[in-house]
Amino acid sequence: MCLRGNRKGKMMLMPLLGTVSLLLAVAVAVPSQEKRVHHHGDLSDHPHDDAQGYQFDHEAFLGKEEAKTFDQLTPEESKEKLGKIVDRIDTDGDGHISHGELHQWIKHRQNRYIQEDVDKQWKEFDLNNDGQVSWGEYKNKTYGYFLDEKFGDGDEKSSYKSMVSRDERRFKTADRNADGMATKEEMTAFLHPELYDHMKDVVVKETIEDIDLNGDGLINLEEYIGDMFSLEDGETEPEWVTTEKKQFVDFRDLNKDGALDAAEVAKWILPGEIDHADNEARHLIHETDRDKNEKLTKEEILANWNMFVGSQATNYGEDLTRRHEEL
């Protein structure tokens, strides 16, 4: 059986070729096309299952990068830093953390993660430090070596030229005033197009281009399944593939013509928004609000510190629990 990596990651990593990661085109085996769906503000890549640990909650509450820092702390250090964070969340100073305050904090942490990613890329591409990134600066930094006449054969060069064309289309769409220069906000739209309404058509086009093998601008059932799976001789089709086929017929192909057009692809990969930060705030309050007044005190949060933040000790304990369950 051959599992083909879904290319949502490729869509998001295309502008990051300067790090050479895309050149490896690593295929990740995934048993569901849901991996292609863009949810704004995904809080964590970990499953949200408290029975398996609190890594999802840690990343939602702290942000993905900061959660890694807390993982290295002792329980005492983690609690101390958490207490200071609680004081920052309590913006009205009433000694309680309301749902609204916790919701805004979680949204702030997720936006910070995106901004930090953009800042990192910005330093690489704003070569003349003029506060803007031109298409030429981006292209030369990202592709210059690979488009050199001495690099690769004809097929390789053709592949990279196709990537350049695709990125240029995305860059021009992000460049709202069409001046050939990207501000930091426009660069954010380029790097994270799924976050912006005016970039949605580009996200849909890139998805169709990834999956549409016969070039008709549509995604039929064979292409949809073939994006992640191909049956080898003598093998039986896995149950999840059967489920995906049913998903395609019952829920993806809305007009029942046997293929997904751009509008249907958009409904699939860019669904109506769910406020994940709001849901996580409600979850944290529900799990830790001892007096059930729908507010949290610092004492209530610190009493459940391992749910909000992590440390070496809690992560080690969670690992032991999982290993024990696997035995």
Side-chain angles (χ1 to χ4, degrees), residues 38-43 193-197 200 270-271 273-276:
H38 294 272
H39 294 298
H40 294 192
D42 275 349
L43 303 183
E194 77 285 354
L195 301 177
Y196 293 81
D197 287 341
K200 288 182 177 179
L270 299 167
E273 273 311 294
I274 298 171
D275 191 335
H276 298 285

Side-chain angles (χ1 to χ4, degrees), residues 47 91 97 157 259 286 292 298 305 321:
T91 54
I97 303 301
K157 286 184 180 178
H286 178 269
K292 303 304 178 185
K298 179 184 284 189
W305 67 276
T321 299

Side-chain angles (χ1 to χ4, degrees), residues 93 158 225 313:
S158 177
I225 297 298

Side-chain angles (χ1 to χ4, degrees), residues 242-310:
T242 304
T243 300
E244 285 293 345
K245 288 181 177 179
K246 184 172 176 58
Q247 285 282 319
F248 181 95
V249 173
D250 293 346
F251 302 108
R252 307 272 187 253
D253 183 15
L254 301 176
N255 62 9
K256 308 305 177 187
D257 67 350
L260 307 186
D261 58 25
E264 289 167 327
V265 170
K267 287 183 178 294
W268 161 34
I269 66 170
L270 299 167
E273 273 311 294
I274 298 171
D275 191 335
H276 298 285
D278 178 74
N279 288 343
E280 177 64 8
R282 294 181 187 280
H283 169 70
L284 291 173
I285 291 174
H286 178 269
E287 294 297 324
T288 59
D289 178 21
R290 289 180 300 187
D291 55 14
K292 303 304 178 185
N293 65 349
E294 298 185 1
K295 297 179 181 180
L296 299 178
T297 63
K298 179 184 284 189
E299 290 72 23
E300 287 174 324
I301 292 175
L302 292 179
N304 296 276
W305 67 276
N306 59 326
M307 186 172 198
F308 289 85
V309 297

Side-chain angles (χ1 to χ4, degrees), residues 118-300:
V118 173
D119 288 344
K120 181 179 179 181
Q121 302 304 318
W122 187 262
K123 292 177 182 178
E124 293 187 20
F125 296 123
D126 184 16
L127 302 179
N128 59 4
N129 296 312
D130 66 349
Q132 299 184 98
V133 173
S134 69
W135 166 244
E137 284 177 314
Y138 172 79
K139 183 178 71 171
N140 291 336
K141 175 68 175 178
T142 304
Y143 297 101
Y145 170 75
F146 304 103
L147 297 179
D148 188 278
E149 292 183 1
K150 299 178 181 179
F151 173 78
D153 57 26
D155 289 338
E156 285 181 298
K157 286 184 180 178
S158 177
S159 176
Y160 287 118
K161 286 181 179 179
S162 176
M163 290 180 184
V164 171
S165 177
R166 178 161 157 154
D167 267 3
E168 185 174 15
R169 179 182 63 194
R170 186 193 282 195
F171 190 96
K172 288 181 177 179
T173 305
D175 178 17
R176 299 300 297 274
N177 62 1
D179 65 351
M181 308 289 290
T183 63
K184 185 169 276 191
E185 179 68 16
E186 290 169 333
M187 198 66 177
T188 303
F190 175 65
L191 295 170
H192 297 275
E194 77 285 354
L195 301 177
Y196 293 81
D197 287 341
H198 70 281
M199 300 294 292
K200 288 182 177 179
D201 286 347
V202 168
V203 176
V204 170
K205 285 178 182 177
E206 290 180 359
T207 301
I208 293 175
E209 288 169 355
D210 282 342
I211 306 175
D212 173 27
L213 298 180
N214 64 13
D216 64 355
L218 303 170
I219 298 174
N220 59 39
L221 178 58
E222 181 179 357
E223 291 167 335
Y224 176 84
I225 297 298
D227 179 47
M228 54 182 169
F229 170 82
S230 62
L231 190 65
E232 295 183 355
D233 292 341
E235 289 188 325
T236 303
E237 182 176 277
E239 184 177 345
W240 65 263
V241 174
T242 304
T243 300
E244 285 293 345
K245 288 181 177 179
K246 184 172 176 58
Q247 285 282 319
F248 181 95
V249 173
D250 293 346
F251 302 108
R252 307 272 187 253
D253 183 15
L254 301 176
N255 62 9
K256 308 305 177 187
D257 67 350
L260 307 186
D261 58 25
E264 289 167 327
V265 170
K267 287 183 178 294
W268 161 34
I269 66 170
L270 299 167
E273 273 311 294
I274 298 171
D275 191 335
H276 298 285
D278 178 74
N279 288 343
E280 177 64 8
R282 294 181 187 280
H283 169 70
L284 291 173
I285 291 174
H286 178 269
E287 294 297 324
T288 59
D289 178 21
R290 289 180 300 187
D291 55 14
K292 303 304 178 185
N293 65 349
E294 298 185 1
K295 297 179 181 180
L296 299 178
T297 63
K298 179 184 284 189
E299 290 72 23
E300 287 174 324

